[in-house]
Amino acid sequence: MSDIAANFKQVSAADIAYFVKTIGEQYVLTTDSQKDKYSHDETEDLRYMPEVVLLPADTAQISLLMSYCHKQHIPVSPRAAGTGLSANSLCIYGGVMLSIERLNRILDIDQNNLQVTVEPGVITEVLQNAVKEKGLFYPPDPSSKGSCYIGGNIACNSGGPRAVKYGVVKDWVLNLQVVLATGEVMWTGANVLKNSTGYNLTGLMIGSEGTLGIVTQIVLKLIPHPKFNIVMLAPFVSMEQAAAAVAATFRAGITPSCMEFMERDAIDWVCGWLGDVTIPIAPEVRANLLIELDGNDMDMLYRESERLYEVLMGYECGDILLADSDAQKTDLWRMRRNVANAVKTTSVTIEEDTVVPRYHLPQLLTSIKEIGKKYGFRSVCYGHAGDGNVHVRIIKDELPDDYWRNEVPKGVREIFERVVELGGTISGEHGIGWVQRRYMDIKFPDFQLQLMRDIKRVFDPHGILNPGKVF
Amino acid sequence: MSDIAANFKQVSAADIAYFVKTIGEQYVLTTDSQKDKYSHDETEDLRYMPEVVLLPADTAQISLLMSYCHKQHIPVSPRAAGTGLSANSLCIYGGVMLSIERLNRILDIDQNNLQVTVEPGVITEVLQNAVKEKGLFYPPDPSSKGSCYIGGNIACNSGGPRAVKYGVVKDWVLNLQVVLATGEVMWTGANVLKNSTGYNLTGLMIGSEGTLGIVTQIVLKLIPHPKFNIVMLAPFVSMEQAAAAVAATFRAGITPSCMEFMERDAIDWVCGWLGDVTIPIAPEVRANLLIELDGNDMDMLYRESERLYEVLMGYECGDILLADSDAQKTDLWRMRRNVANAVKTTSVTIEEDTVVPRYHLPQLLTSIKEIGKKYGFRSVCYGHAGDGNVHVRIIKDELPDDYWRNEVPKGVREIFERVVELGGTISGEHGIGWVQRRYMDIKFPDFQLQLMRDIKRVFDPHGILNPGKVF
């Protein structure tokens, strides 16, 4: 840590004066009370106070700020909405936090080409609603869609429940305007559906967590919004049966628009916490799948759901609850989306973002519980089973601080080792950020991590962009 | 050219001895008659003889060869099937041509996870047929699918007609085994559907045309094979009307599995050349769309085709030919796939691979013809209209060699300038290779090309991998 920090310059009064001159005094935050909310994100227990928080208005201002900070060796961490779960944007080395919250305009909804051009500070759900008004659909929907920014989604290559049918963020981005560490501004690609023109800089930027550049405009692909959907909750007597039913569904040629997994505890927890959602669940049920089918033809959807029932019945599925109103659909989704919030209120927790080939989910779930038993921690598992992506929320309960800090991570390491054994990886959609760096050696040999570091150096020769993240 | 060449060492007798020792004498080709077929590809008029052609058997041998050539500064051009249209694999600087033709095994069809692991020298159609036997589907289908290799498809991020519904190669690759220039071997990602674990090296490798590493194993995503399709040919009285109908189709919420464009000349040419395909085409027809719908429910497909008819009728579409047998479907596709072959037999030609946002196709087509008139060259336009991707085959006819070599490229430059003005780019699916490099400045500013060169240097410090390509 000190090695990297040795190259950085602290923010001085002269620097502040430059920032004020460049973007205006009210957009340069220097007091602790102003900066406090930028010192943490949704990752438990971590606080790093930036030296200064900057709120630039546009690409041109960001270019000037980056050019200056590059020359001055001042670290800059870009920040979207601060909903990250891996401390993706915290100012570990102090310096500047550059918030993109004022770049919050939807610039153009192109109904002829089915594209939208948007700034990174637009809330994902706001964007989705704006294009839906034109009959169009931007599918990726992280659980935090009501508060996260589209720019943060790009930084982490986010997914969400619909990824199982529609893909993740990288599958929807056509082109990015990026300010490089040096202040130069480039468009990574073109506004086209196919592109074989030089290296795929768009793809490289997505998921790079603000370490290679600051995204300032985004061109996304859209599709016409599907007209109908069916939502159901299917109960199973074991986690393994539920997970096996997932692989069987896709094998049968059925592609649900969502296929979410919740273990029993997750449902009990979230229903208790929400208070106003009551889902009748039989005592023997150990796991549930929340399944959505979507399309433009209701008859077709009914026929597909009948085929789906047949598949699920092969895995000791209990009585399926078919949502019979929009209100019930909303309740089922509120339940799913609030699992993490419910668990978090009861204890300090950490969430791991495991992903394996979907058929190996049962093995992964079994291993997670075994490892939990060995290390003495409880966990609640839920997530995007259709993609083999399961979030493991590990609960501190009464574990001593010291044990939580030093022993539990050994259990996490064992979980990730198992994930990699099963052909998976250590983050499906949250990114690595600051807190998961220590596990990167499980997935990548040294020379490959060095290759990534060398790529970063090409983009950011002084290492000022979001230092301490990813590796 | 000489600057780069100055760093390279010529292949010596000692080098040949090392190659023979490493991979066996019969796999080291040194005579002109052995090497001849490796001196050209499907790009017109170009021949570059390699100093030696190597046919290694596996990853381990390729690793040894690369490690050696890296130390010796011997250039290495990887070659798949040699169907490239931009001289993507030719040995511009001599040195080694490393053919992956012996890495031609399908290693594992994983029916539980819907994945296939394959070596790069498998013919794309062979792969498609092998997974189809298990009821599975790998959609990307370049026109050369009967002869091209999957490894070459990855090098160029190929597309093909089905990309319009199913995406291009990059949308199907989960993980790549790559031998780096130094001989080190890495897996770029994991065998999972979602991945936010460090930089997207998989995406960076795809479309890098063998300049960053040699792909030696490939993990692809599969889906269940759709059960039915409908194929139709729709005639239009103008190219502009046909192109406008394309954008309207997608806007109406219809996603054909293929939506191909052929101007009148292309059809006349290919029918004449094939001899055994007769498509009745009215004299006033100037352009045709070849459209395929696919799915698992025949009733649904009929209903969708009725909705499609309605859309097309809004653009003065003539009588639609609906293929009434598999034989007729095959004929229609043979016609489409052989346009380039038909045109090539009549004259020297070059093919440009333009792509724009699909609604701008009419403007692009008009500009292409205007520029052709200005420079006095004929062209035949056809391709993947649903993606806005149009191939422009420019015909030399009786143009003097000197004019062809020096003046026609100025017209091509004007076409590409127009493409970029319209929000497009200079290659949709062929790649840049050797012959399109000179146009890269139209799309990218100098600093961005330098950024790409610097990325290459990270992967290939001595610049030995496929030198002279891309930039």
Side-chain angles (χ1 to χ4, degrees), chain A residues 111 113 134 156 187 189 191 194 196-197 199 211 251 297 303 359 384 389 423 425 427 429 443 448, chain B residues 111 113 134 156 187 189 191 194 196-197 199 211 251 297 303 359 384 389 423 425 427 429 443 448:
Chain A
Q111 297 191 61
N113 287 305
K134 316 277 185 191
C156 293
W187 280 97
N191 300 357
K194 302 166 90 171
S196 296
T197 314
Y199 297 155
T211 62
R251 189 65 193 85
D297 186 304
R303 264 181 286 167
Y359 187 73
H384 316 300
N389 181 202
T425 187
S427 177
E429 56 178 20
K443 179 67 190 114
Q448 197 165 353
Chain B
Q111 296 191 61
N113 288 305
K134 316 276 185 193
C156 294
W187 280 97
N191 300 358
K194 303 166 88 171
S196 295
T197 315
Y199 298 155
T211 63
R251 189 66 193 83
D297 186 305
R303 264 181 287 167
Y359 186 72
H384 317 300
N389 181 202
T425 188
S427 178
E429 56 177 20
K443 180 67 190 117
Q448 197 165 352

Side-chain angles (χ1 to χ4, degrees), chain B residues 35-91:
Chain B
K35 295 186 299 181
D36 183 66
K37 78 164 184 170
Y38 299 93
S39 70
H40 58 90
D41 61 7
E42 294 292 323
T43 317
E44 296 295 322
D45 265 357
L46 287 175
R47 273 177 189 270
Y48 289 93
M49 190 63 89
E51 293 172 64
V52 58
V53 177
L54 303 179
L55 313 178
D58 56 27
T59 305
Q61 288 189 354
I62 292 175
S63 171
L64 289 170
L65 294 174
M66 288 313 303
S67 171
Y68 181 87
C69 290
H70 170 71
K71 283 179 200 135
Q72 299 288 329
H73 292 251
I74 297 170
V76 178
S77 291
R79 178 179 173 104
T83 58
L85 292 164
S86 305
N88 315 74
S89 71
L90 300 190
C91 288

Side-chain angles (χ1 to χ4, degrees), chain B residues 271-453:
Chain B
C271 287
W273 187 71
L274 286 172
D276 61 344
V277 178
T278 316
I279 311 283
I281 296 181
E284 71 277 13
V285 169
R286 303 291 1 126
N288 283 272
L289 295 177
L290 177 62
I291 307 172
E292 184 188 275
L293 300 169
D294 74 358
N296 292 315
D297 186 305
M298 206 62 213
D299 289 344
M300 183 78 188
L301 284 181
Y302 283 127
R303 264 181 287 167
E304 197 165 46
S305 60
E306 278 160 29
R307 288 180 54 223
L308 176 59
Y309 286 1
E310 276 171 41
V311 173
L312 300 179
M313 288 310 155
Y315 296 86
E316 295 184 66
C317 178
D319 286 344
I320 293 171
L321 170 69
L322 186 68
D324 58 5
S325 66
D326 282 350
Q328 199 169 26
K329 287 178 188 174
T330 304
D331 273 353
L332 286 171
W333 276 111
R334 273 178 66 218
M335 187 182 74
R336 164 61 191 89
R337 289 189 184 278
N338 280 291
V339 172
N341 292 331
V343 178
K344 277 196 301 192
T345 53
T346 64
S347 169
V348 168
T349 61
I350 49 168
E351 185 166 309
E352 307 302 338
D353 178 32
T354 63
V355 57
V356 294
R358 69 165 80 94
Y359 186 72
H360 301 324
L361 265 184
Q363 293 159 271
L364 174 61
L365 290 168
T366 304
S367 296
I368 289 168
K369 295 301 176 183
E370 278 169 9
I371 293 165
K373 203 175 251 174
K374 174 174 166 191
Y375 284 89
F377 59 72
R378 283 199 301 161
S379 65
V380 177
C381 295
Y382 59 98
H384 317 300
D387 284 319
N389 181 202
V390 168
H391 302 314
V392 187
R393 195 160 273 267
I394 297 173
I395 301 161
K396 182 167 179 286
D397 287 333
E398 305 304 318
L399 294 174
D401 287 357
D402 197 47
Y403 189 87
W404 177 249
R405 207 170 302 118
N406 298 314
E407 295 305 310
V408 170
K410 293 178 188 164
V412 173
R413 175 167 278 272
E414 283 192 33
I415 290 173
F416 283 143
E417 283 168 353
R418 182 69 178 136
V419 162
V420 171
E421 260 174 37
L422 291 170
T425 188
I426 69 173
S427 178
E429 56 177 20
H430 291 177
I432 298 304
W434 167 248
V435 297
Q436 308 293 35
R437 296 189 324 161
R438 54 181 160 178
Y439 304 116
M440 284 287 269
D441 65 296
I442 300 171
K443 180 67 190 117
F444 298 112
D446 276 352
F447 80 87
Q448 197 165 352
L449 289 173
Q450 190 56 45
L451 193 73
M452 293 191 203
R453 278 190 208 99

Side-chain angles (χ1 to χ4, degrees), chain A residues 21-40:
Chain A
K21 190 186 79 183
T22 305
I23 66 172
E25 189 163 11
Q26 73 266 47
Y27 300 118
V28 179
L29 313 184
T30 53
T31 69
D32 278 3
S33 64
Q34 288 174 318
K35 295 186 299 182
D36 183 66
K37 78 164 182 168
Y38 299 93
S39 71
H40 58 91

Side-chain angles (χ1 to χ4, degrees), chain A residues 430-458:
Chain A
H430 291 176
I432 298 304
W434 168 248
V435 298
Q436 308 293 34
R437 297 190 322 162
R438 56 182 159 177
Y439 305 115
M440 284 287 269
D441 65 295
I442 300 171
K443 179 67 190 114
F444 298 113
D446 276 352
F447 79 88
Q448 197 165 353
L449 289 172
Q450 190 55 46
L451 193 73
M452 294 192 202
R453 278 190 208 100
D454 291 344
I455 291 171
K456 177 173 168 62
R457 193 166 307 123
V458 166

Side-chain angles (χ1 to χ4, degrees), chain A residues 24-25 82 84 94 100 112 143 157 177 181 219 240 266 293 302 312 334 364 398 416 431 433:
Chain A
E25 189 163 11
I100 47 110
N112 291 314
S143 287
N157 191 20
Q177 187 191 57
V219 182
E240 290 75 10
L293 300 169
Y302 283 128
L312 300 180
R334 274 178 64 217
L364 174 61
E398 306 303 315
F416 283 143

